[in-house]
Amino acid sequence: MRRSNALFLPLLLSLWLPVLAASAESLVIAHRGASAYLPEHSLEAYALAYGQGADFLEPDLVMTADDHLIALHDLTLEATTNVAELFPDRARADGGFYAVDFTLAEIRQLTMQERVEPASGQARYPERWPVGAGRFRVVEFNELIEFTRELNRATGRRVGLYPETKAPQFHAEQGKDIGAALVSALLAHELPTEDLPIFIQSFEPEPLIEIHAAHGDRFDLIQLIGLNDWDMNTVDYSAMVSAEGLSRVAEYAVGIGPVFSLLLEADAGEPLRPSALFRKSRELGLAMHPYTFRREGLPPETSLEALLDLFIGELHIEGVFTDNPDVAVQRRSVVAAQE
Ligand code: CA
């Protein structure tokens, strides 16, 4: 899925605008399903995202005690399930109910819910699905593969999967190789195929480098980029976004998944412009799939629609991670109709 970068040279941008729009339609990546509307990572959220026209369904993956991959964002279960109620004595000393301490059979007994802040029990996003309403359950990655494949067969669409290896360093400390587990699952299903494309994403470079070394270009790899301030691992993202760091990324990845603010910059009082990271990625032919487009936490005076129009219509990025696939699909059509 490597895209030609020849058309993206800044000098040609205005001249080639209609060509750009026709050849580089932004992918809509449903972040944890249509998670603005139904609990993240539930099969219901994925079904809704599929129906809303998403091109890719995105699961975060963690491993169970018995080495199954499940769709879960946190390493622990308490923010999105009733684990504390069902298995009250299974927390570690830090209070966390780690998925890796539970078997798949145990995790299947849990009910999933809209995300809460564990300290307060209050909804992270109060405007979303009510906490505790409905009966949702944790989805195994194999199940999501079959679900997507069958929906594609039934509809004739070619929706893909976009799995993320969550916290590879942590999994290694637990004696588990999550990158290898993901690749095994995909190979067991003979993926990717033209009908069910795959991107593999990771915040840590090592699993991607290893997958690339072992499997060459079979899998399209996306290097996620965070901020060092988030303190989520030992990766130096400042070094990664330097010209040298990004050239290294281009050796194994087809693209980057940065937080969207990293693709823009501005001097005081000046309008926003594409950042050095944006320009360098274009030069290297790296696709850009920024995250996360949702109504919550927007920059001041900005709507989700305006932000999507900027990234899809003006920056022509190759994909967006969004909690609102319906809005992204709609803005993509509006932008295309204007060009
Ligand atoms: Ca993710």
Side-chain angles (χ1 to χ4, degrees):
M1 221 173 261
R2 217 173 259 281
R3 287 160 190 267
S4 159
N5 63 342
L7 296 178
F8 291 123
L9 294 170
L11 285 175
L12 296 179
L13 191 71
S14 54
L15 187 62
W16 286 98
L17 209 55
V19 177
L20 270 175
S23 64
E25 189 172 74
S26 304
L27 297 171
V28 173
I29 304 154
H31 182 244
R32 313 180 197 171
S35 54
Y37 309 109
L38 283 162
E40 65 182 57
H41 288 123
S42 64
L43 211 52
E44 290 84 350
Y46 286 115
L48 184 59
Y50 194 104
Q52 289 180 339
D55 301 296
F56 282 84
L57 307 179
E58 193 254 0
D60 299 320
L61 298 176
V62 304
M63 292 181 76
T64 65
D66 47 350
D67 294 336
H68 294 278
L69 290 165
I70 56 169
L72 191 73
H73 174 269
D74 302 356
L75 297 174
T76 58
L77 292 154
E78 61 271 15
T80 53
T81 78
N82 62 344
V83 66
E85 216 173 283
L86 254 63
F87 300 99
D89 55 352
R90 297 279 295 278
R92 290 192 185 183
D94 65 3
F97 295 79
Y98 286 77
V100 75
D101 296 335
F102 291 80
T103 64
L104 181 63
E106 288 172 331
I107 286 170
R108 282 192 169 140
Q109 298 171 40
L110 303 174
T111 299
M112 265 202 319
Q113 64 183 14
E114 186 58 43
R115 172 173 290 277
V116 299
E117 301 292 352
S120 65
Q122 300 298 304
R124 160 78 60 88
Y125 300 114
E127 305 299 319
R128 295 188 176 186
W129 188 264
V131 174
R135 283 189 60 81
F136 303 93
R137 59 189 180 76
V138 179
V139 176
E140 198 191 342
F141 184 50
N142 282 328
E143 200 182 342
L144 185 60
I145 292 173
E146 283 153 23
F147 176 85
T148 308
R149 175 174 276 163
E150 288 307 310
L151 274 176
N152 280 348
R153 188 185 54 74
T155 63
R157 290 175 60 202
R158 292 178 170 181
V159 173
L161 288 167
Y162 204 130
E164 177 183 350
T165 57
K166 217 67 204 174
Q169 289 172 359
F170 168 84
H171 279 93
E173 288 158 18
Q174 312 299 312
K176 299 195 185 295
D177 184 339
I178 190 168
L182 172 57
V183 165
S184 299
L186 294 171
L187 293 178
H189 290 272
E190 298 178 346
L191 292 173
T193 63
E194 206 154 301
D195 293 339
L196 204 166
I198 300 284
F199 282 106
I200 296 177
Q201 44 164 341
S202 178
F203 274 105
E204 297 176 23
E206 287 75 17
L208 300 180
I209 292 168
E210 285 169 19
I211 292 169
H212 187 256
H215 301 281
D217 292 334
R218 174 165 185 147
F219 298 103
D220 285 332
L221 307 177
I222 299 289
Q223 176 65 57
L224 298 176
I225 300 176
L227 302 177
N228 288 350
D229 290 355
W230 297 347
D231 213 14
M232 62 179 145
N233 53 40
T234 57
V235 178
D236 182 351
Y237 292 109
S238 303
M240 187 181 277
V241 300
S242 69
E244 195 188 350
L246 213 56
S247 298
R248 174 78 192 97
V249 168
E251 291 170 12
Y252 59 86
V254 298
I256 58 167
V259 59
F260 64 72
S261 55
L262 283 176
L263 295 179
L264 297 169
E265 61 191 21
D267 296 324
E270 294 291 312
L272 285 170
R273 60 171 185 262
S275 67
L277 175 61
F278 178 95
R279 298 193 307 271
K280 184 70 183 166
S281 298
R282 278 281 187 266
E283 278 171 37
L284 290 168
L286 284 166
M288 285 174 268
H289 296 172
Y291 62 90
T292 305
F293 293 83
R294 56 166 75 99
R295 295 217 184 273
E296 296 86 349
L298 290 169
E301 317 269 321
T302 306
S303 68
L304 175 60
E305 286 78 1
L307 198 63
L308 286 164
D309 289 359
L310 172 64
F311 278 86
I312 294 174
E314 296 191 40
L315 296 179
H316 295 283
I317 45 89
E318 289 78 8
V320 289
F321 285 89
T322 180
D323 294 358
N324 304 70
D326 56 338
V327 182
V329 167
Q330 192 246 351
R331 294 324 298 175
R332 183 172 65 183
S333 312
V334 169
V335 162
Q338 287 167 353
E339 283 173 350

